[in-house]
Amino acid sequence: MPIKFGLLTNPANNILEEIKLIKKLGFDYVEIGIEPPCGAPEIILRNRQEIIALIRKFNSCPVAHTPWWIDLGSNYPQVRKAWIEEAKRSIDVSKALNIDKINFHFYSLGLTRLYLKSYQLEILNNIITSLKEVVNYATSKEITVIYENADVKREILGIKEYKFVVDSVPKLKVHLDVGHAFVENGLKGIRDYLFTFRNKLEHIHIHDNQGEEDEHLPLGEGKINFEQVAKWLNQINYDKTITFEVFTSKKDARNSMLKFKEYLKKI
Ligand SMILES: [Zn+2]
C-alpha cells in the first residue's frame, strides 16, 4: 500500500469548513482534531452526519488527534481519573465517526518539572496504568491507540522513557513526530525512533524546526534533512499515514507534502 498523506484540522476554525478545505487541497485523508473550541466532542457529535459525509469523499480513513496536554500521568488521582474519562470520550467520538486510529501524547505536567525528577517513576507508572485502561477501552471498540513522542530536550520525556511506556502497554502503537524527535536529539533522534519502533510504527507527523523549539515550520525552513528521513522511510518500507503538521498555512502544508513526495520517489 502506498503512503497516505493528511492534514490536521485547526480546532480554532469551523470543523466542516476545515475538512472541506483539506479535501480541496488534495490530501488523502483528514486528521480530525478532537479539541476545543471548535473540535470539542459535543460539537463534533452535533455535526456527526455532515462530518461523516465529508470524510467519505476522501480516498483514505481519517485519524483522530487529541490535545497534547491530556495528563494521564497526573499524581492527583481525581484529576487523572477525569483525564481518563475525557480520553474515553474522545474514543467514543472517534467511534461515532468510524475512525479506527486515535493519538494521545507522551506528556504529564509533573514530568516537565525537573524538580520533580524524584517522582519520575511514579508518574511514568501512572501513565502506564492509565494507558492500559484507555487502550483496553479503545480495543473493545476496534480502535488502535497511537502514542506520540514529546518535543523536549529533557531526559525525562526522551526516547528511553517513551520506550518504557510503549513496552509496558500491550497493543499501544507508535506515532512518531519527526519534528519532536529532532528537537530531542537531532537527526540521530529521528533515526533512533524510526529504527527502534519500526515494527510498532502506525503514524507519522512531519514539520520542520531549527532544533531548539517545536516550531511546526514548512519543510526547508528549518534544519531537518528530510531527504534523509524519506530514505529511512523507504528503507523500513513504511506504508501507512503521514500528516503534515505545518502550522504556518495550509498552502505551506500542501507544498511540504509535494516536496516530501519527491524525496520519497528518489532512491
Ligand atoms: Zn505532532
Side-chain angles (χ1 to χ4, degrees), residues 231-259:
K231 268 187 211 158
W232 286 332
L233 290 182
N234 282 332
Q235 217 176 312
I236 64 166
N237 297 315
Y238 184 72
D239 62 356
K240 292 170 181 159
T241 39
I242 297 181
T243 296
F244 287 81
E245 245 188 347
V246 171
F247 289 165
T248 48
S249 76
K250 285 193 172 52
K251 200 171 151 250
D252 285 348
R254 181 188 147 81
N255 289 336
S256 292
M257 169 181 72
L258 297 175
K259 200 178 253 188

PDB file of all heavy atoms in Angstrom, residues 231-259:
ATOM      1  N   LYS A 231      14.561   8.629   2.867  1.00  0.00           N
ATOM      2  CA  LYS A 231      15.367   7.422   2.596  1.00  0.00           C
ATOM      3  C   LYS A 231      15.131   6.365   3.670  1.00  0.00           C
ATOM      4  O   LYS A 231      14.966   5.186   3.386  1.00  0.00           O
ATOM      5  CB  LYS A 231      16.864   7.780   2.583  1.00  0.00           C
ATOM      6  CG  LYS A 231      17.378   8.141   1.205  1.00  0.00           C
ATOM      7  CD  LYS A 231      18.898   8.316   1.249  1.00  0.00           C
ATOM      8  CE  LYS A 231      19.286   9.366   0.211  1.00  0.00           C
ATOM      9  NZ  LYS A 231      20.566   9.984   0.461  1.00  0.00           N
ATOM     10  N   TRP A 232      15.135   6.810   4.917  1.00  0.00           N
ATOM     11  CA  TRP A 232      14.915   5.858   6.014  1.00  0.00           C
ATOM     12  C   TRP A 232      13.516   5.244   5.937  1.00  0.00           C
ATOM     13  O   TRP A 232      13.348   4.053   6.183  1.00  0.00           O
ATOM     14  CB  TRP A 232      15.102   6.551   7.374  1.00  0.00           C
ATOM     15  CG  TRP A 232      16.526   6.833   7.722  1.00  0.00           C
ATOM     16  CD1 TRP A 232      17.632   6.136   7.318  1.00  0.00           C
ATOM     17  CD2 TRP A 232      17.018   7.890   8.556  1.00  0.00           C
ATOM     18  NE1 TRP A 232      18.769   6.688   7.843  1.00  0.00           N
ATOM     19  CE2 TRP A 232      18.432   7.762   8.611  1.00  0.00           C
ATOM     20  CE3 TRP A 232      16.412   8.919   9.263  1.00  0.00           C
ATOM     21  CZ2 TRP A 232      19.234   8.628   9.349  1.00  0.00           C
ATOM     22  CZ3 TRP A 232      17.212   9.790  10.000  1.00  0.00           C
ATOM     23  CH2 TRP A 232      18.599   9.647  10.048  1.00  0.00           C
ATOM     24  N   LEU A 233      12.530   6.065   5.592  1.00  0.00           N
ATOM     25  CA  LEU A 233      11.159   5.525   5.487  1.00  0.00           C
ATOM     26  C   LEU A 233      11.083   4.482   4.377  1.00  0.00           C
ATOM     27  O   LEU A 233      10.422   3.446   4.529  1.00  0.00           O
ATOM     28  CB  LEU A 233      10.143   6.641   5.240  1.00  0.00           C
ATOM     29  CG  LEU A 233       9.899   7.595   6.403  1.00  0.00           C
ATOM     30  CD1 LEU A 233       8.833   8.620   6.047  1.00  0.00           C
ATOM     31  CD2 LEU A 233       9.472   6.837   7.656  1.00  0.00           C
ATOM     32  N   ASN A 234      11.776   4.737   3.277  1.00  0.00           N
ATOM     33  CA  ASN A 234      11.832   3.743   2.208  1.00  0.00           C
ATOM     34  C   ASN A 234      12.536   2.478   2.682  1.00  0.00           C
ATOM     35  O   ASN A 234      12.104   1.364   2.379  1.00  0.00           O
ATOM     36  CB  ASN A 234      12.547   4.309   0.974  1.00  0.00           C
ATOM     37  CG  ASN A 234      11.640   5.224   0.171  1.00  0.00           C
ATOM     38  OD1 ASN A 234      10.420   5.079   0.186  1.00  0.00           O
ATOM     39  ND2 ASN A 234      12.230   6.182  -0.532  1.00  0.00           N
ATOM     40  N   GLN A 235      13.591   2.681   3.443  1.00  0.00           N
ATOM     41  CA  GLN A 235      14.375   1.553   3.951  1.00  0.00           C
ATOM     42  C   GLN A 235      13.546   0.616   4.830  1.00  0.00           C
ATOM     43  O   GLN A 235      13.695  -0.590   4.775  1.00  0.00           O
ATOM     44  CB  GLN A 235      15.537   2.129   4.766  1.00  0.00           C
ATOM     45  CG  GLN A 235      16.837   1.383   4.637  1.00  0.00           C
ATOM     46  CD  GLN A 235      17.916   2.142   5.420  1.00  0.00           C
ATOM     47  OE1 GLN A 235      18.071   3.363   5.301  1.00  0.00           O
ATOM     48  NE2 GLN A 235      18.662   1.428   6.230  1.00  0.00           N
ATOM     49  N   ILE A 236      12.679   1.190   5.650  1.00  0.00           N
ATOM     50  CA  ILE A 236      11.853   0.337   6.532  1.00  0.00           C
ATOM     51  C   ILE A 236      10.506  -0.005   5.871  1.00  0.00           C
ATOM     52  O   ILE A 236       9.624  -0.572   6.505  1.00  0.00           O
ATOM     53  CB  ILE A 236      11.623   0.973   7.927  1.00  0.00           C
ATOM     54  CG1 ILE A 236      10.808   2.275   7.831  1.00  0.00           C
ATOM     55  CG2 ILE A 236      12.937   1.219   8.653  1.00  0.00           C
ATOM     56  CD1 ILE A 236      10.274   2.749   9.194  1.00  0.00           C
ATOM     57  N   ASN A 237      10.362   0.347   4.603  1.00  0.00           N
ATOM     58  CA  ASN A 237       9.117   0.066   3.853  1.00  0.00           C
ATOM     59  C   ASN A 237       7.878   0.635   4.539  1.00  0.00           C
ATOM     60  O   ASN A 237       6.848  -0.041   4.642  1.00  0.00           O
ATOM     61  CB  ASN A 237       8.925  -1.442   3.643  1.00  0.00           C
ATOM     62  CG  ASN A 237      10.031  -2.029   2.805  1.00  0.00           C
ATOM     63  OD1 ASN A 237      10.409  -1.446   1.786  1.00  0.00           O
ATOM     64  ND2 ASN A 237      10.582  -3.144   3.249  1.00  0.00           N
ATOM     65  N   TYR A 238       7.986   1.857   5.020  1.00  0.00           N
ATOM     66  CA  TYR A 238       6.839   2.476   5.688  1.00  0.00           C
ATOM     67  C   TYR A 238       5.712   2.689   4.680  1.00  0.00           C
ATOM     68  O   TYR A 238       5.933   3.230   3.592  1.00  0.00           O
ATOM     69  CB  TYR A 238       7.247   3.820   6.314  1.00  0.00           C
ATOM     70  CG  TYR A 238       6.127   4.446   7.101  1.00  0.00           C
ATOM     71  CD1 TYR A 238       5.748   3.904   8.332  1.00  0.00           C
ATOM     72  CD2 TYR A 238       5.407   5.538   6.624  1.00  0.00           C
ATOM     73  CE1 TYR A 238       4.701   4.450   9.054  1.00  0.00           C
ATOM     74  CE2 TYR A 238       4.355   6.085   7.346  1.00  0.00           C
ATOM     75  CZ  TYR A 238       4.015   5.531   8.565  1.00  0.00           C
ATOM     76  OH  TYR A 238       2.964   6.059   9.280  1.00  0.00           O
ATOM     77  N   ASP A 239       4.516   2.247   5.034  1.00  0.00           N
ATOM     78  CA  ASP A 239       3.410   2.322   4.062  1.00  0.00           C
ATOM     79  C   ASP A 239       2.097   2.765   4.725  1.00  0.00           C
ATOM     80  O   ASP A 239       1.024   2.386   4.279  1.00  0.00           O
ATOM     81  CB  ASP A 239       3.227   0.965   3.366  1.00  0.00           C
ATOM     82  CG  ASP A 239       2.867  -0.137   4.336  1.00  0.00           C
ATOM     83  OD1 ASP A 239       2.826   0.120   5.558  1.00  0.00           O
ATOM     84  OD2 ASP A 239       2.605  -1.265   3.874  1.00  0.00           O
ATOM     85  N   LYS A 240       2.201   3.575   5.792  1.00  0.00           N
ATOM     86  CA  LYS A 240       0.973   3.990   6.479  1.00  0.00           C
ATOM     87  C   LYS A 240       0.668   5.474   6.252  1.00  0.00           C
ATOM     88  O   LYS A 240       0.746   5.929   5.131  1.00  0.00           O
ATOM     89  CB  LYS A 240       1.059   3.590   7.933  1.00  0.00           C
ATOM     90  CG  LYS A 240       1.004   2.048   8.010  1.00  0.00           C
ATOM     91  CD  LYS A 240       1.307   1.461   9.313  1.00  0.00           C
ATOM     92  CE  LYS A 240       1.204  -0.058   9.135  1.00  0.00           C
ATOM     93  NZ  LYS A 240       1.934  -0.758  10.159  1.00  0.00           N
ATOM     94  N   THR A 241       0.330   6.183   7.337  1.00  0.00           N
ATOM     95  CA  THR A 241      -0.118   7.572   7.172  1.00  0.00           C
ATOM     96  C   THR A 241       0.944   8.596   7.611  1.00  0.00           C
ATOM     97  O   THR A 241       1.668   8.371   8.580  1.00  0.00           O
ATOM     98  CB  THR A 241      -1.392   7.804   8.014  1.00  0.00           C
ATOM     99  OG1 THR A 241      -1.237   7.095   9.268  1.00  0.00           O
ATOM    100  CG2 THR A 241      -2.619   7.285   7.313  1.00  0.00           C
ATOM    101  N   ILE A 242       0.991   9.719   6.890  1.00  0.00           N
ATOM    102  CA  ILE A 242       1.847  10.854   7.278  1.00  0.00           C
ATOM    103  C   ILE A 242       1.003  12.126   7.249  1.00  0.00           C
ATOM    104  O   ILE A 242       0.424  12.480   6.221  1.00  0.00           O
ATOM    105  CB  ILE A 242       3.042  11.046   6.315  1.00  0.00           C
ATOM    106  CG1 ILE A 242       3.974   9.828   6.348  1.00  0.00           C
ATOM    107  CG2 ILE A 242       3.812  12.331   6.667  1.00  0.00           C
ATOM    108  CD1 ILE A 242       5.199   9.957   5.434  1.00  0.00           C
ATOM    109  N   THR A 243       0.941  12.796   8.407  1.00  0.00           N
ATOM    110  CA  THR A 243       0.224  14.075   8.466  1.00  0.00           C
ATOM    111  C   THR A 243       1.237  15.216   8.491  1.00  0.00           C
ATOM    112  O   THR A 243       2.223  15.164   9.235  1.00  0.00           O
ATOM    113  CB  THR A 243      -0.664  14.129   9.729  1.00  0.00           C
ATOM    114  OG1 THR A 243      -1.658  13.118   9.613  1.00  0.00           O
ATOM    115  CG2 THR A 243      -1.343  15.483   9.881  1.00  0.00           C
ATOM    116  N   PHE A 244       0.992  16.244   7.673  1.00  0.00           N
ATOM    117  CA  PHE A 244       1.876  17.404   7.627  1.00  0.00           C
ATOM    118  C   PHE A 244       1.385  18.430   8.636  1.00  0.00           C
ATOM    119  O   PHE A 244       0.392  19.112   8.410  1.00  0.00           O
ATOM    120  CB  PHE A 244       1.961  17.954   6.196  1.00  0.00           C
ATOM    121  CG  PHE A 244       2.778  17.037   5.348  1.00  0.00           C
ATOM    122  CD1 PHE A 244       2.220  15.892   4.806  1.00  0.00           C
ATOM    123  CD2 PHE A 244       4.132  17.260   5.195  1.00  0.00           C
ATOM    124  CE1 PHE A 244       2.994  14.992   4.095  1.00  0.00           C
ATOM    125  CE2 PHE A 244       4.912  16.359   4.484  1.00  0.00           C
ATOM    126  CZ  PHE A 244       4.339  15.232   3.928  1.00  0.00           C
ATOM    127  N   GLU A 245       2.093  18.488   9.775  1.00  0.00           N
ATOM    128  CA  GLU A 245       1.696  19.376  10.864  1.00  0.00           C
ATOM    129  C   GLU A 245       2.413  20.717  10.728  1.00  0.00           C
ATOM    130  O   GLU A 245       3.057  21.192  11.664  1.00  0.00           O
ATOM    131  CB  GLU A 245       2.026  18.719  12.207  1.00  0.00           C
ATOM    132  CG  GLU A 245       0.812  18.393  13.038  1.00  0.00           C
ATOM    133  CD  GLU A 245       1.176  17.916  14.437  1.00  0.00           C
ATOM    134  OE1 GLU A 245       2.348  17.600  14.709  1.00  0.00           O
ATOM    135  OE2 GLU A 245       0.268  17.856  15.272  1.00  0.00           O
ATOM    136  N   VAL A 246       2.281  21.320   9.550  1.00  0.00           N
ATOM    137  CA  VAL A 246       2.881  22.628   9.281  1.00  0.00           C
ATOM    138  C   VAL A 246       1.835  23.668   9.668  1.00  0.00           C
ATOM    139  O   VAL A 246       0.733  23.670   9.124  1.00  0.00           O
ATOM    140  CB  VAL A 246       3.244  22.740   7.782  1.00  0.00           C
ATOM    141  CG1 VAL A 246       3.671  24.154   7.433  1.00  0.00           C
ATOM    142  CG2 VAL A 246       4.331  21.727   7.422  1.00  0.00           C
ATOM    143  N   PHE A 247       2.181  24.539  10.625  1.00  0.00           N
ATOM    144  CA  PHE A 247       1.170  25.455  11.166  1.00  0.00           C
ATOM    145  C   PHE A 247       1.194  26.855  10.542  1.00  0.00           C
ATOM    146  O   PHE A 247       0.377  27.692  10.890  1.00  0.00           O
ATOM    147  CB  PHE A 247       1.315  25.566  12.688  1.00  0.00           C
ATOM    148  CG  PHE A 247       0.886  24.317  13.430  1.00  0.00           C
ATOM    149  CD1 PHE A 247       1.235  24.136  14.767  1.00  0.00           C
ATOM    150  CD2 PHE A 247       0.128  23.325  12.809  1.00  0.00           C
ATOM    151  CE1 PHE A 247       0.844  22.993  15.461  1.00  0.00           C
ATOM    152  CE2 PHE A 247      -0.267  22.177  13.492  1.00  0.00           C
ATOM    153  CZ  PHE A 247       0.088  22.014  14.820  1.00  0.00           C
ATOM    154  N   THR A 248       2.130  27.150   9.638  1.00  0.00           N
ATOM    155  CA  THR A 248       2.194  28.499   9.072  1.00  0.00           C
ATOM    156  C   THR A 248       0.991  28.788   8.178  1.00  0.00           C
ATOM    157  O   THR A 248       0.386  29.849   8.268  1.00  0.00           O
ATOM    158  CB  THR A 248       3.509  28.702   8.284  1.00  0.00           C
ATOM    159  OG1 THR A 248       3.686  27.573   7.424  1.00  0.00           O
ATOM    160  CG2 THR A 248       4.699  28.825   9.208  1.00  0.00           C
ATOM    161  N   SER A 249       0.643  27.814   7.298  1.00  0.00           N
ATOM    162  CA  SER A 249      -0.579  27.936   6.493  1.00  0.00           C
ATOM    163  C   SER A 249      -0.864  26.582   5.838  1.00  0.00           C
ATOM    164  O   SER A 249       0.019  25.732   5.746  1.00  0.00           O
ATOM    165  CB  SER A 249      -0.424  29.000   5.396  1.00  0.00           C
ATOM    166  OG  SER A 249       0.376  28.491   4.334  1.00  0.00           O
ATOM    167  N   LYS A 250      -2.097  26.409   5.379  1.00  0.00           N
ATOM    168  CA  LYS A 250      -2.455  25.152   4.728  1.00  0.00           C
ATOM    169  C   LYS A 250      -1.746  25.016   3.379  1.00  0.00           C
ATOM    170  O   LYS A 250      -1.435  23.926   2.943  1.00  0.00           O
ATOM    171  CB  LYS A 250      -3.976  25.061   4.557  1.00  0.00           C
ATOM    172  CG  LYS A 250      -4.662  24.755   5.871  1.00  0.00           C
ATOM    173  CD  LYS A 250      -6.100  24.362   5.652  1.00  0.00           C
ATOM    174  CE  LYS A 250      -6.725  23.864   6.948  1.00  0.00           C
ATOM    175  NZ  LYS A 250      -6.565  24.780   8.079  1.00  0.00           N
ATOM    176  N   LYS A 251      -1.507  26.134   2.727  1.00  0.00           N
ATOM    177  CA  LYS A 251      -0.796  26.113   1.451  1.00  0.00           C
ATOM    178  C   LYS A 251       0.647  25.627   1.682  1.00  0.00           C
ATOM    179  O   LYS A 251       1.172  24.823   0.921  1.00  0.00           O
ATOM    180  CB  LYS A 251      -0.801  27.527   0.848  1.00  0.00           C
ATOM    181  CG  LYS A 251      -0.545  27.554  -0.628  1.00  0.00           C
ATOM    182  CD  LYS A 251      -0.779  28.970  -1.186  1.00  0.00           C
ATOM    183  CE  LYS A 251       0.107  29.194  -2.386  1.00  0.00           C
ATOM    184  NZ  LYS A 251       1.192  30.146  -2.179  1.00  0.00           N
ATOM    185  N   ASP A 252       1.259  26.125   2.751  1.00  0.00           N
ATOM    186  CA  ASP A 252       2.614  25.666   3.097  1.00  0.00           C
ATOM    187  C   ASP A 252       2.612  24.162   3.379  1.00  0.00           C
ATOM    188  O   ASP A 252       3.552  23.453   3.022  1.00  0.00           O
ATOM    189  CB  ASP A 252       3.128  26.404   4.354  1.00  0.00           C
ATOM    190  CG  ASP A 252       3.528  27.840   4.056  1.00  0.00           C
ATOM    191  OD1 ASP A 252       3.618  28.190   2.869  1.00  0.00           O
ATOM    192  OD2 ASP A 252       3.723  28.598   5.025  1.00  0.00           O
ATOM    193  N   ALA A 253       1.550  23.701   4.042  1.00  0.00           N
ATOM    194  CA  ALA A 253       1.466  22.267   4.360  1.00  0.00           C
ATOM    195  C   ALA A 253       1.378  21.460   3.076  1.00  0.00           C
ATOM    196  O   ALA A 253       2.017  20.421   2.916  1.00  0.00           O
ATOM    197  CB  ALA A 253       0.257  22.000   5.251  1.00  0.00           C
ATOM    198  N   ARG A 254       0.590  21.964   2.122  1.00  0.00           N
ATOM    199  CA  ARG A 254       0.447  21.264   0.837  1.00  0.00           C
ATOM    200  C   ARG A 254       1.787  21.229   0.082  1.00  0.00           C
ATOM    201  O   ARG A 254       2.191  20.192  -0.429  1.00  0.00           O
ATOM    202  CB  ARG A 254      -0.618  21.961  -0.012  1.00  0.00           C
ATOM    203  CG  ARG A 254      -0.848  21.281  -1.343  1.00  0.00           C
ATOM    204  CD  ARG A 254      -1.767  22.105  -2.244  1.00  0.00           C
ATOM    205  NE  ARG A 254      -1.407  21.928  -3.644  1.00  0.00           N
ATOM    206  CZ  ARG A 254      -1.785  20.892  -4.388  1.00  0.00           C
ATOM    207  NH1 ARG A 254      -2.535  19.940  -3.869  1.00  0.00           N
ATOM    208  NH2 ARG A 254      -1.403  20.787  -5.643  1.00  0.00           N
ATOM    209  N   ASN A 255       2.477  22.376   0.053  1.00  0.00           N
ATOM    210  CA  ASN A 255       3.783  22.408  -0.621  1.00  0.00           C
ATOM    211  C   ASN A 255       4.788  21.469   0.054  1.00  0.00           C
ATOM    212  O   ASN A 255       5.602  20.843  -0.625  1.00  0.00           O
ATOM    213  CB  ASN A 255       4.328  23.837  -0.660  1.00  0.00           C
ATOM    214  CG  ASN A 255       3.531  24.698  -1.624  1.00  0.00           C
ATOM    215  OD1 ASN A 255       2.906  24.183  -2.557  1.00  0.00           O
ATOM    216  ND2 ASN A 255       3.527  26.000  -1.404  1.00  0.00           N
ATOM    217  N   SER A 256       4.712  21.390   1.382  1.00  0.00           N
ATOM    218  CA  SER A 256       5.597  20.477   2.107  1.00  0.00           C
ATOM    219  C   SER A 256       5.307  19.034   1.708  1.00  0.00           C
ATOM    220  O   SER A 256       6.215  18.227   1.534  1.00  0.00           O
ATOM    221  CB  SER A 256       5.415  20.645   3.621  1.00  0.00           C
ATOM    222  OG  SER A 256       5.898  21.905   4.034  1.00  0.00           O
ATOM    223  N   MET A 257       4.025  18.723   1.548  1.00  0.00           N
ATOM    224  CA  MET A 257       3.644  17.366   1.135  1.00  0.00           C
ATOM    225  C   MET A 257       4.234  17.061  -0.253  1.00  0.00           C
ATOM    226  O   MET A 257       4.828  16.008  -0.466  1.00  0.00           O
ATOM    227  CB  MET A 257       2.127  17.213   1.094  1.00  0.00           C
ATOM    228  CG  MET A 257       1.688  15.921   0.410  1.00  0.00           C
ATOM    229  SD  MET A 257      -0.098  15.720   0.309  1.00  0.00           S
ATOM    230  CE  MET A 257      -0.542  16.924  -0.942  1.00  0.00           C
ATOM    231  N   LEU A 258       4.074  18.011  -1.191  1.00  0.00           N
ATOM    232  CA  LEU A 258       4.562  17.782  -2.555  1.00  0.00           C
ATOM    233  C   LEU A 258       6.084  17.575  -2.553  1.00  0.00           C
ATOM    234  O   LEU A 258       6.616  16.706  -3.235  1.00  0.00           O
ATOM    235  CB  LEU A 258       4.185  18.965  -3.460  1.00  0.00           C
ATOM    236  CG  LEU A 258       2.665  19.172  -3.632  1.00  0.00           C
ATOM    237  CD1 LEU A 258       2.396  20.428  -4.449  1.00  0.00           C
ATOM    238  CD2 LEU A 258       1.996  17.954  -4.270  1.00  0.00           C
ATOM    239  N   LYS A 259       6.767  18.378  -1.744  1.00  0.00           N
ATOM    240  CA  LYS A 259       8.217  18.272  -1.631  1.00  0.00           C
ATOM    241  C   LYS A 259       8.616  16.890  -1.087  1.00  0.00           C
ATOM    242  O   LYS A 259       9.498  16.232  -1.611  1.00  0.00           O
ATOM    243  CB  LYS A 259       8.695  19.374  -0.668  1.00  0.00           C
ATOM    244  CG  LYS A 259      10.146  19.727  -0.786  1.00  0.00           C
ATOM    245  CD  LYS A 259      10.482  20.846   0.185  1.00  0.00           C
ATOM    246  CE  LYS A 259      10.695  22.169  -0.511  1.00  0.00           C
ATOM    247  NZ  LYS A 259      11.186  23.214   0.370  1.00  0.00           N
TER     248      LYS A 259
END
